[in-house]
Amino acid sequence: MSGHVLVAPDKFKGSLTAPEVAAHLAAGLREAGHRAVELPVADGGEGTLDAALAAGFRRHPVTVTGPTGKPVDAAIALRDGTAVVELAAASGLALLPDGSEPMRASSRGTGELVAAALDAGARRIVLGVGGSAGTDGGAGLLSALGARITDASGRELPDGGAALAHADAVDLGGLDPRLGDVGIVLASDVDNPLLGPAGAAAVYGPQKGATPEDVVLLDAALARFAGLVAPDGATLPGAGAAGGVGFAALTVLGARRRRGIEVVLELTGFAERLIGAALVVTGEGALDAQTLHGKAPAGVAAAARESGVPVVAVCGRCELGPAELAGAGIREVHALVEREPDPARCLAEAGRLLREVGRSLL
């Protein structure tokens, strides 16, 4: 076969990271005598940092405040004046080993990552959101960057979405002045507003452990906060991303929202790696209806199709029909459950199965 195989998968959630998936597939392809180029990707949420590092960005470790106040070892990725900040690394659900904290979890650590990017001299910050633990409207993020959110007595509020019910004033005068000199990209496919039945609390709160009563309280607290910061901003598409971090990023930080996979493909140099490719291999843990709405495999397939390069997908399981796959630009699918139908063994042996798939792709 002339040309290389570009291996550009997302993570297999609960099993393997995107770099691990790419490594196993590429190993199988090489064993079969093919030239494979590994380029793990992400959709702007969890795994965005890994994708940037695999593409040559430099890891810059940072210790930040976790979603419930405990220190967390995180990192940002740096290259040529661009910093990649992954919200999940500082404020993610996965950082709550003792269970969800929907009322108390904060985005403060994400703000501390942004501050670290400023300290490192970044002129452009890519803020990848997804997998957030809290619903605080980005209040924690803004506080970490110098904002003061106080109650009627002038006392600063504790972190977390519930506390915003007592917000009386928001002072943005102390925001880090360096923010005015950087361009911020909000990498997110979420187009929900901040408030209401399609908002951050109602749609995503239950996924973070919020009860119906919690959702009502959080939505009212977010409305109070938004009224003090930027009332019109609550209706912006994407304001509801990451528990409302999208609201703070769009209204206060002046961020520009872009599709996550498009941002990641740019960061990783996908277009350049695609030149001369005979085939692209992408995938994720489950190919389903969500895949077609901004997830990484659909974005990879669309970009490859524009260049006339055929695409195959590898996944744990596939719930899409032939017409949906063809419409997304995916020529064929290899599901690991076809090789190992036992779900537990399929997860545990995903690496071996991916290597087998890689050997049999061409």
Side-chain angles (χ1 to χ4, degrees):
M1 181 190 70
S2 62
H4 62 278
V5 180
L6 184 57
V7 184
D10 198 351
K11 62 187 174 296
F12 278 35
K13 196 166 185 177
S15 180
L16 297 171
T17 65
E20 289 170 339
V21 174
H24 286 298
L25 285 168
L29 282 159
R30 291 171 187 138
E31 288 168 7
H34 304 295
R35 187 158 60 94
V37 175
E38 299 168 40
L39 192 74
V41 298
D43 59 12
E46 295 167 89
T48 298
L49 185 69
D50 283 342
L53 294 172
F57 278 68
R58 174 173 58 88
R59 182 183 182 87
H60 180 74
V62 189
T63 299
V64 299
T65 304
T68 55
K70 296 178 181 177
V72 169
D73 290 329
I76 58 176
L78 298 168
R79 186 175 69 187
D80 299 333
T82 293
V84 177
V85 171
E86 182 182 304
L87 177 144
S91 312
L93 268 172
L95 300 175
L96 294 175
D98 300 326
S100 59
E101 290 278 2
M103 308 299 278
R104 196 164 65 90
S106 164
S107 60
R108 179 177 291 274
T110 301
E112 292 169 350
L113 289 182
V114 171
L118 296 173
D119 291 342
R123 299 183 303 276
R124 178 174 179 253
I125 298 175
V126 174
L127 176 57
V129 297
S132 66
T135 308
D136 73 345
L141 175 144
L142 295 178
S143 295
L145 292 169
R148 290 189 75 249
I149 305 167
T150 54
D151 63 16
S153 300
R155 292 173 296 196
E156 289 201 47
L157 295 180
D159 285 344
L164 296 176
H166 305 289
D168 184 70
V170 176
D171 181 0
L172 301 176
L175 277 178
D176 194 316
R178 296 174 296 178
L179 289 165
D181 298 323
V182 299
I184 299 179
V185 175
L186 179 70
S188 173
D189 298 320
V190 170
D191 59 6
N192 302 68
L194 180 65
L195 307 172
V203 175
Y204 301 106
Q207 300 173 14
K208 305 170 187 182
T211 66
E213 293 78 13
D214 292 340
V215 167
V216 172
L217 292 172
L218 285 169
D219 192 62
L222 289 175
R224 186 177 184 90
F225 178 61
L228 296 170
V229 176
D232 295 341
T235 61
L236 289 173
V245 166
F247 167 76
L250 293 168
T251 61
V252 179
L253 304 187
R256 182 167 61 99
R257 184 173 71 95
R258 293 187 58 201
R259 289 186 64 209
I261 182 59
E262 291 179 358
V263 175
V264 172
L265 292 183
E266 284 183 9
L267 289 173
T268 57
F270 180 85
E272 292 80 5
R273 309 287 181 94
L274 189 61
I275 296 171
L279 179 72
V280 171
V281 182
T282 188
E284 62 181 344
L287 289 181
D288 53 26
Q290 287 189 334
T291 301
L292 305 177
H293 298 285
K295 292 294 186 179
V300 168
R305 180 165 54 182
E306 286 183 10
S307 296
V309 181
V311 178
V312 301
V314 180
C315 59
R317 69 178 194 279
C318 180
E319 299 175 6
L320 299 176
E324 292 171 306
L325 293 167
I330 297 172
R331 187 176 71 183
E332 60 186 56
V333 174
H334 299 263
L336 300 189
V337 292
E338 295 171 356
R339 293 173 177 265
E340 176 49 74
D342 179 78
R345 288 186 63 184
C346 190
L347 276 172
E349 301 178 20
R352 174 183 64 81
L353 296 170
L354 286 166
R355 196 163 181 152
E356 288 181 8
V357 171
R359 285 197 296 266
S360 67
L361 275 176
L362 294 162

